[in-house]
Amino acid sequence: MHKVIYDTDPGVDDAMALLFLHRHPEIDLIGITTVFGNASVETTTRNALFLKREWNIPAPVAKGASVTIDPERREGAWPTFVHGENGLGNIKVPETIDLPLDPRPAHRFIIDTVRANPGEVRLVAVGRMTNLAMALKQDPEIAGLVKDVVIMGGNFYVPGNVSPVAEANIHGDPEAADIVLTAPWRVAVIGLDVTAITTMSRSYLADVAARGDSAAKLLNDLSQDYIDFYKHAVEDGMMVHDSCACVYVVAPELFSTILGPVRVVCGGIADGQTIVKPDGRHFPPGNWDGLPSQVVCTGIDSERVINLIRDAVLRA
Ligand code: BDR
Ligand code: CA
């Protein structure tokens, strides 16, 4: 079993990925930590509690960062036109959910859980990297105690989605992402190179809902506005960004990868750009020297990824 802490900003594609993690037979979801991003952290936390309640997810929810790792330098911001005002495609969600939160802030929850399960925890982060960076800053030794880190973020050989060179999760807190990507732990980076070509059509999702239980139906309902939003880029469907990272946890063979240190541009015209220096390529000494090699995904078997998501959702 893969012990997963899911760091998330639900978020429509975050919700689909959460249901995948909850229902996949080889995944033990041991915690959900929230972060600002697709909405304020109050809203993403409320959404996590809502989905926990609706989908009977036992994992505790710990609330995380409301602003970036360096709020003096930049604040947190969130668009409301992608995931809706309420972060879940404007379906009806109660203002508050009567479920307790874990008393610890997300970064403390991460530290404690990693220390309690040395060598076992897989951190899957699909929002701003702020909670992970805070955990590393407070307890750098956790880098040697996690099994690995899997993130949805960045773009290497394709354009960004919030600027010509930057992807939303990285652009929302580039300093945090640079801390996470340069720490001495193994990070698998699932970016737009693979997630932007992995789409689920409206009719495919409707079919899953028709064959599935009430959880699948809720997933279908909350995805409709997001699918509308994607009209500019996808023919009647949605990119399943965050689910790609979760599928990587159990099926890395569906991805092709390169290895190399990764840095994030922090400021200026390329703010939030992710850059990999492939191992074996030599350049004059510079910003990549002495850093750990990370796993950068450059290819994906989208069809099999989409089918794995379907299979997990249908596994009620
Ligand atoms: C990422 O940004 C968010 O809108 C999605 O949930 C995903 O994590 C894609 O750029
Ligand atoms: Ca997300």
Side-chain angles (χ1 to χ4, degrees):
M1 286 291 255
H2 304 277
K3 285 190 181 173
V4 168
I5 297 178
Y6 183 49
D7 189 72
T8 178
D9 57 339
V12 172
D13 61 320
D14 304 70
M16 177 184 281
L18 174 61
L19 192 54
F20 173 85
L21 291 173
H22 171 51
R23 292 199 161 166
H24 195 283
E26 289 159 30
I27 289 175
D28 179 13
L29 181 60
I30 58 173
I32 301 166
T33 51
T34 60
V35 65
F36 76 96
N38 289 326
S40 71
V41 75
E42 279 69 35
T43 301
T44 60
T45 306
R46 187 275 314 265
N47 291 350
L49 287 174
F50 171 67
L51 296 169
K52 172 180 159 72
R53 190 187 72 185
E54 295 301 304
W55 293 343
N56 288 316
I57 299 176
V61 175
K63 182 178 173 186
S66 59
V67 291
T68 66
I69 190 97
D70 187 358
E72 311 250 292
R73 187 177 165 140
R74 65 174 95 224
E75 288 178 16
W78 41 89
T80 51
F81 57 89
V82 183
H83 297 258
E85 284 288 339
N86 72 357
L88 288 180
N90 291 330
I91 60 158
K92 235 174 147 196
V93 181
E95 234 157 76
T96 55
I97 305 295
D98 195 17
L99 277 183
L101 277 172
D102 190 278
R104 294 162 288 187
H107 67 280
R108 191 72 241 172
F109 176 90
I110 291 171
I111 292 168
D112 291 350
T113 310
V114 167
R115 284 201 166 273
N117 301 272
E120 287 191 69
V121 174
R122 308 192 67 178
L123 286 176
V124 179
V126 299
R128 277 62 173 155
M129 305 296 142
T130 321
N131 293 334
L132 270 60
M134 285 171 74
L136 273 173
K137 271 189 136 177
Q138 201 161 105
D139 187 354
E141 283 179 11
I142 62 163
L145 295 172
V146 301
K147 184 165 184 196
D148 66 354
V149 181
V150 181
I151 69 165
M152 188 283 131
N155 53 295
F156 295 88
Y157 303 110
V158 299
N161 60 3
V162 290
S163 89
V165 295
E167 181 278 331
N169 287 342
I170 305 294
H171 188 261
D173 195 351
E175 286 78 17
D178 197 52
I179 291 171
V180 169
L181 286 161
T182 57
W185 55 13
R186 183 41 76 89
V187 185
V189 189
I190 320 297
L192 296 176
D193 301 68
V194 296
T195 68
I197 54 172
T198 305
T199 60
M200 188 179 284
S201 71
R202 199 189 296 266
S203 59
Y204 187 103
L205 182 57
D207 181 57
V208 174
R211 292 162 58 196
D213 61 357
S214 59
K217 288 180 180 51
L218 174 58
L219 179 64
N220 185 45
D221 289 347
L222 66 85
S223 300
Q224 294 307 309
D225 279 15
Y226 190 60
I227 292 173
D228 291 343
F229 161 77
Y230 263 118
K231 264 193 191 119
H232 63 283
V234 181
E235 209 192 309
D236 213 26
M238 62 191 267
M239 297 177 189
V240 296
H241 302 287
D242 295 347
S243 291
C244 292
C246 298
V247 168
Y248 180 90
V249 170
V250 289
E253 70 280 2
L254 300 183
F255 298 77
S256 45
T257 57
I258 59 170
L259 289 174
V262 177
R263 294 298 311 264
V264 179
V265 179
C266 294
I269 194 169
D271 198 26
Q273 182 176 14
T274 44
I275 303 174
V276 59
K277 184 198 83 66
D279 285 349
R281 291 291 296 269
H282 295 289
F283 298 99
N287 294 319
W288 289 271
D289 298 340
L291 293 175
S293 279
Q294 309 299 11
V295 181
V296 171
C297 291
T298 52
I300 187 168
D301 185 337
S302 300
E303 195 183 332
R304 287 180 66 195
V305 167
I306 292 289
N307 290 343
L308 279 186
I309 299 167
R310 172 202 62 199
D311 295 348
V313 169
L314 288 178
R315 211 181 146 269

